[in-house]
Amino acid sequence: MVKGSKISIIAGLLALMLIVSACSSTTNQPANGNGEQQQGAAPKNQSFELWLGWSATINNDSLVQKYWKEQEPGVEVILEATQGDANTALNLKLNTGGFKDAAIFTHSDVVKNAMKNSNTILSLEQYFEMPDKYPNLAAIPKQYLEALKDEDGHIWSIPTWFDQNPDDPWPGWASVAWMVRTDVLEQVGMTKDDLATLEGVEQYLRKATQLKDESGKPLNGMGFLMDPNDTVGWNDENAVLSAFGVTTGGAGGVIPVEQKNGEFVLLYDDPQYKEAYKWLNKMYREGLIDPEVVTDKKERYKEKNKAGRTALNVGTFWNIDTSVWETLDGPTEPGWYYEPIAFPKIEGVDAIGASQVVNPYPGYDVYINKNSKNLEAILTFFDYSLNPAPEQQQVINEGPAGLYWDWMDAPLGKWKYIDESYSAARNSGDVAQKSTVTPELYMLSSYNNEWYPWWNYGEVDKQGSLKTQQFTKAIGEMGGVRSAHTYDMVTAKAGGLWEKYAPELENLRKEYRAKLIMAKDDAQFEESWTQFTDALEKRAHWSELKQEWQQSYDALVQANGSF
């Protein structure tokens, strides 16, 4: 997903890297029995096979691979994809001699342990300490490398697809927000500044529900989708919970968690969780929430948004359906007027909760067969792919600037495709055609917050399509995105309580959210809340789950440290 640059400085640097690489190509040959590399002559052929730990349509004559081979870094990369389940395929491969040269899999302790236990892979820690020969491998943030070390100090993979700046991470496609219709806001005589507080939002909803839409029906105030297929970390109510200071995002852990006043607070124990639903219940009872919110299906919800039936939406803007603005070239339909607003300030809430937890740590690992005869080619290629230039993911994905795409204004600005035949195949929607131009292996590189290609794609048919990029940028800066910590990554222990009771925990969340929102008065709300907390204990064994969570967290810190 990232980009490239055609300015002479970067071109010069890349050329210099090639010269340095060529001049220092004293090559490491296959490992000896101790996993140490034997020194020898440079390889005759800069080529290696890369096994992908996922299914893909492969065409090893793609234009991008041809560039790698013939231009930079001067390495032929021959791809092989996985068929079927990745873990099954991995075990089969390792039990039948292993892969030939290198393999890339999504980051996983299961994969790492299988690779290490196979005794077929090379330990790589020395290659991250050679800045003269592999400057980009040496530039990988040390905290990532430390996290990869085993108890003996060995690193068994080259990490890829990590954030170059872990303290200022790229927020990803942040989308959980409060989205207001600015045309309705104008009609009621208010501005976005008036919505800075929860009281201001309530005032807006009361005024908006007095208006009528184009069909003559009263506007719905607040809308959100209660999708029966959503999850604890991905649902529209999380926009409200976040405003109330509740962290709802995670980084692969079993439950959203936040550290408050030195203690871990798991989602349902946060007192603000109750307060958020109490406010939603208040809005529902006042008629300021769409009365069909509990029963609406996804398509019906989208239809209402397209028709302009709703004054304000909370949740992910993907559920609104971005086509309501992306298909427009101007203010011709209600969808044009959607804009995100800052999360409203709430008394007693110092900071909004994280609705998106960004894991800057490596997403993929490259393993190398200790008997590979192409070690130098592998290291040369990944030193190239991990160049920390902001646009390098674009370079890996699409080639360098000036070849098939180029900048529209200045480097690290807008870009567009400049090769018509490349663009036609790339954007055809046909995976076979796409594979003739690019293997789309952005994950061989890294990324940062300075520039992201698909926020800066400049050639669009409709002006509305630029809004999604603008929205996600704005939302990512509102405070609801943070970097992951160790406690965000506590996973279910095999055969443990979380594995057993997590489905029931989800059932309870979905069952009681409707009861809490639709309670007819305060007494019924409190009754439903008591029933919910009782059910957490009796049906989902909440206290036992928390104990196991703490044990798993402690074990994770013991094994990998905390961050």
Side-chain angles (χ1 to χ4, degrees), residues 80-283:
E80 176 192 356
T82 295
Q83 304 299 319
D85 177 72
N87 287 339
T88 301
L90 173 61
N91 289 328
L92 180 62
K93 180 84 78 172
L94 294 178
N95 288 328
T96 54
F99 51 90
K100 179 181 177 183
D101 291 318
I104 181 169
F105 276 74
T106 55
H107 181 74
S108 162
D109 286 340
V110 172
V111 172
K112 180 181 73 173
N113 292 335
M115 289 286 192
K116 183 179 175 182
N117 293 338
S118 72
N119 197 33
T120 63
I121 61 171
L122 179 67
S123 61
L124 304 172
E125 57 275 2
Q126 61 180 309
Y127 303 110
F128 303 111
E129 302 294 337
M130 299 180 178
D132 293 339
K133 190 170 186 180
Y134 306 118
N136 299 320
L137 296 184
I140 295 172
K142 299 304 180 187
Q143 65 196 75
Y144 301 156
L145 297 176
E146 286 298 319
L148 289 173
K149 287 182 178 178
D150 67 10
E151 60 275 8
D152 298 320
H154 293 305
I155 299 174
W156 297 98
S157 63
I158 298 173
T160 68
W161 201 239
F162 51 82
D163 198 307
Q164 297 162 11
N165 301 305
D167 296 328
D168 182 26
W170 176 64
W173 283 90
S175 67
V176 176
W178 295 53
M179 301 285 291
V180 70
R181 287 258 308 280
T182 56
D183 57 333
V184 176
L185 194 62
E186 183 177 353
Q187 287 182 61
V188 300
M190 298 178 71
T191 68
K192 291 205 293 185
D193 289 342
D194 295 323
L195 307 182
T197 65
L198 200 61
E199 292 75 19
V201 169
E202 292 178 12
Q203 183 184 5
Y204 167 66
L205 293 176
R206 292 187 183 102
K207 289 185 175 183
T209 50
Q210 301 303 309
L211 301 178
K212 289 183 169 50
D213 65 13
E214 292 182 359
S215 66
K217 297 178 182 178
L219 275 185
N220 291 319
M222 178 188 290
F224 53 94
L225 180 64
M226 296 180 70
D227 189 340
N229 297 313
D230 66 22
T231 66
V232 65
W234 185 252
N235 64 79
D236 278 359
E237 297 113 287
N238 284 353
V240 176
L241 287 162
S242 184
F244 274 80
V246 180
T247 285
T248 59
V254 291
I255 192 78
V257 60
E258 193 56 86
Q259 194 168 25
K260 296 186 176 183
N261 300 319
E263 296 184 355
F264 295 122
V265 180
L266 276 63
L267 181 67
Y268 302 120
D269 285 345
D270 193 323
Q272 290 298 104
Y273 186 93
K274 178 183 179 181
E275 292 303 311
Y277 276 96
K278 185 182 290 186
W279 182 77
L280 284 171
N281 174 242
K282 173 188 172 186
M283 294 296 98

Side-chain angles (χ1 to χ4, degrees), residues 217-228 283-284 287-305 309-310 514 517-518:
K217 297 178 182 178
L219 275 185
N220 291 319
M222 178 188 290
F224 53 94
L225 180 64
M226 296 180 70
D227 189 340
M283 294 296 98
Y284 186 84
L288 302 180
I289 290 179
D290 183 348
E292 299 175 326
V293 68
V294 173
T295 57
D296 258 349
K297 299 294 188 289
K298 182 175 289 189
E299 288 308 312
R300 176 63 177 147
Y301 177 71
K302 291 181 178 181
E303 288 170 6
K304 288 181 178 179
N305 297 327
R309 295 277 300 115
T310 307
I517 290 172
M518 298 178 68

Side-chain angles (χ1 to χ4, degrees), residues 13 34 47 132 154 156 169 196-197 211 221 249 271 305-306 330 389 409 431 448 453 473 545 557:
L13 287 173
N34 297 321
S47 174
D132 293 339
H154 293 305
W156 297 98
T197 65
L211 301 178
N305 297 327
K306 181 175 177 57
D409 38 43
V431 293
N448 69 31
K473 280 185 178 180
L545 288 177
V557 172

